[in-house]
DNA sequence: CAGAGTTTGTGAAAGCGTTCACAAACAAAC
DNA sequence: GTTTGTTTGTGAACGCTTTCACAAACTCTG
């Protein structure tokens, strides 16, 4: 198989979301052109992305919506439910915990950890917030595969080291910091400050040199 | 000036964050090599990124930390404080509202809007949650420049249309949906579901073909 | 069932961003 | 003040991703 780039995977996720909306609306066929316009890319890009994984379309007709949903879910590893732990029961952690879409896509939060003694023992929707000390044991017991790190930046690397030692190989990080992990462990960082600064840059630029789209 | 790519701006934000940490620790000089290793890139990349905006370093020595902080803040448009509105006073909205780092970097949330009558009128840290109906007037009155959209996906495009009509030109979007805006308006979307699916893809791939880093 | 009209899949070309490599510039030591 | 060592700034090479363009494959209509 050809190598698949990060941007391609991101677009596949976007296509999948659109296709699920289309399936909801009982549309059964879609062209690369339509998919492209709805996802803000080009038809050629859509076809190239999909062609990396097989040939799913029918010439002259387009793609079968239900089939492509199934294929994309398989490609993205969304056929199984993932067991997820949340480390850091603060503001972002609470928001994520309550976010139904995560569960809907098959990401089940099955453990919550925090160091704060006032938080440990709280029941979150039936799930007890665990003390940070017993983390390794709980991760093991519940077969956790993915961790969401929502602790303050200076605590993040320490938490990640423990997670990795405990066998976690996928981490979604909200702390605005660079994390070091060994090869074989995948970290995705969601950095909102960075996006805000991107906006700041773009807006100041427009003020300085108008018309530079 | 040469054209500046998105990834470059992202890295400049990362450099700035590191430099502020170094300044805090009273380090006064840093090499591209050091900056690179701390931000997970290469020395050549650091130098190329910076060289797009001027020549800030001293050969044989490196970069002055305080000077580079000042320069990067100017480049990124962070010398002023931005007036920000939050649309959608839900879980994500609340988390962002309480997030001190935003204010610290000069993003001041000066208006909060929601449609939910039980939320309208609430005081959030002294700021009254406004009804969605008066949005345009409040945006105008308070000179809002950037909006954070944290409403359900199906409401997002409608909100954005109103924001754009009201003159807002920078939007940070948390709704997992494609937003259409006219040229001249900048939208950055933070899509956590997408990142999770990236993890899912990477992890399933490793299971299927181990050793494919 | 033939012909007109679509739409895919994919090599080839173009466009971008990253990495390389090195001369030029400076610091520091003696 | 000269030498040695370090680090920058940048053109050129490289590699990766996107876009182009079109033959092949299929649908649909009459
Ligand atoms: N709040 C936001 O909107 C927002 C936005 C962007 C990024 N972030 C980042 O997300 C992270 C969390 O932010 P927050 O606003 O939720 O902070 P918070 O202070 O509300 O929550 C952090 C939680 O982590 C816990 N914690 C601290 N050290 C821990 C450890 N070693 N193990 C387990 N738990 C630990 C704390 O007890 C606390 O409950 C931070 O890194 C922050 O920079 C937050
Ligand atoms: N909670 C999360 O962790 C999370 C994670 C990723 C993405 N998101 C996305 O962020 C958005 C908000 O999520 P949430 O969890 O905070 O939802 P939420 O339901 O807690 O909050 C949404 C708020 O928006 C308000 N609202 C609805 N329509 C509005 C309108 N037209 N104008 C103004 N306010 C309006 C609602 O009254 C509610 O208070 C959603 O698009 C969601 O998909 C949330």
């Amino acid at each position: 198989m050809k190598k698949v780039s990060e941007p391609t995977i991101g677009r596949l996720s976007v296509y999948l979301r659109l296709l699920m909306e289309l399936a909801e609306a009982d549309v059964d066929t879609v062209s690369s052109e339509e998919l492209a316009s709805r996802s803000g890319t080009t038809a050629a890009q859509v076809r190239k992305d999909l062609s990396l994984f097989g040939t799913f379309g029918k010439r002259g007709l387009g793609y079968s919506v239900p089939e492509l949903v199934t294929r994309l879910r398989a490609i993205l590893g969304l056929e199984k439910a993932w067991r997820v732990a949340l480390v850091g029961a603060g503001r972002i952690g609470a928001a994520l915990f309550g976010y139904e879409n995560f569960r809907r896509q098959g990401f089940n939060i099955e453990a919550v950890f925090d160091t704060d003694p006032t938080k440990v023992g709280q029941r979150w929707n039936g799930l007890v917030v665990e003390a940070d000390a017993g983390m390794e044991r709980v991760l093991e017991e519940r077969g956790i595969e993915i961790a969401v790190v929502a602790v303050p930046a200076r605590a993040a690397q320490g938490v990640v080291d423990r997670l990795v030692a405990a066998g976690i190989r996928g981490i979604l990080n909200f702390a605005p910091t660079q994390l070091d992990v060994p090869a074989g462990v995948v970290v995705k960082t969601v950095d909102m400050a960075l996006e805000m600064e991107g906006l700041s840059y773009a807006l100041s630029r427009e003020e300085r040199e108008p018309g530079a789209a």
Side-chain angles (χ1 to χ4, degrees), chain A:
Chain A
M1 172 169 298
K2 318 283 159 52
K3 68 179 163 335
V4 180
S5 70
E6 284 292 317
T8 292
I9 299 303
R11 286 189 300 265
L12 292 183
S13 290
V14 173
Y15 304 154
L16 175 57
R17 194 144 61 205
L18 292 170
L19 286 162
M20 291 191 307
E21 285 172 25
L22 291 171
E24 196 77 15
D26 278 322
V27 175
D28 45 36
T29 276
V30 69
S31 67
S32 56
E33 186 57 51
E34 172 107 32
L35 224 36
S37 83
R38 293 194 189 228
S39 56
T41 184
T42 65
Q45 184 73 76
V46 170
R47 294 198 299 273
K48 190 117 275 177
D49 287 339
L50 296 176
S51 75
L52 294 172
F53 296 93
T55 91
F56 309 133
K58 276 205 176 61
R59 299 183 181 206
L61 187 60
Y63 300 88
S64 151
V65 171
E67 189 201 326
L68 200 48
V69 165
T70 305
R71 298 304 199 108
L72 287 179
R73 288 179 57 84
I75 291 166
L76 293 172
L78 297 173
E79 282 172 321
K80 60 169 287 189
W82 292 93
R83 289 183 290 276
V84 179
L86 173 62
V87 188
R91 288 164 301 203
I92 275 283
L96 282 170
F97 187 85
Y99 189 44
E100 312 79 19
N101 280 12
F102 269 20
R103 188 158 307 241
R104 199 170 305 142
Q105 271 293 356
F107 298 100
N108 297 334
I109 299 182
E110 296 184 348
V112 180
F113 302 98
D114 206 297
T115 40
D116 184 342
T118 70
K119 292 202 168 136
V120 174
Q122 281 183 4
R123 288 193 153 268
W124 279 25
N125 200 24
L127 201 61
V128 177
V129 176
E130 307 281 341
D132 159 83
M135 190 165 79
E136 286 79 359
R137 180 181 48 77
V138 175
L139 291 174
E140 167 78 35
E141 278 174 9
R142 304 192 190 168
I144 302 294
E145 301 163 294
I146 293 179
V148 175
V149 173
V151 302
R154 74 186 150 284
Q157 183 67 59
V159 165
V160 165
D161 291 344
R162 287 179 62 190
L163 290 169
V164 168
I168 301 295
R169 306 216 292 172
I171 293 171
L172 183 67
N173 171 47
F174 284 89
T177 189
Q178 164 73 13
L179 295 176
D180 290 335
V181 292
V185 178
V186 188
V187 177
K188 303 264 171 181
T189 292
V190 173
D191 195 332
M192 303 175 198
L194 212 113
E195 303 294 335
M196 283 300 269
E197 292 176 12
L199 279 182
S200 171
Y201 172 80
L203 295 182
S204 351
R205 191 118 297 260
E206 275 185 18
E207 277 170 24
R208 286 195 289 262
E209 34 174 292

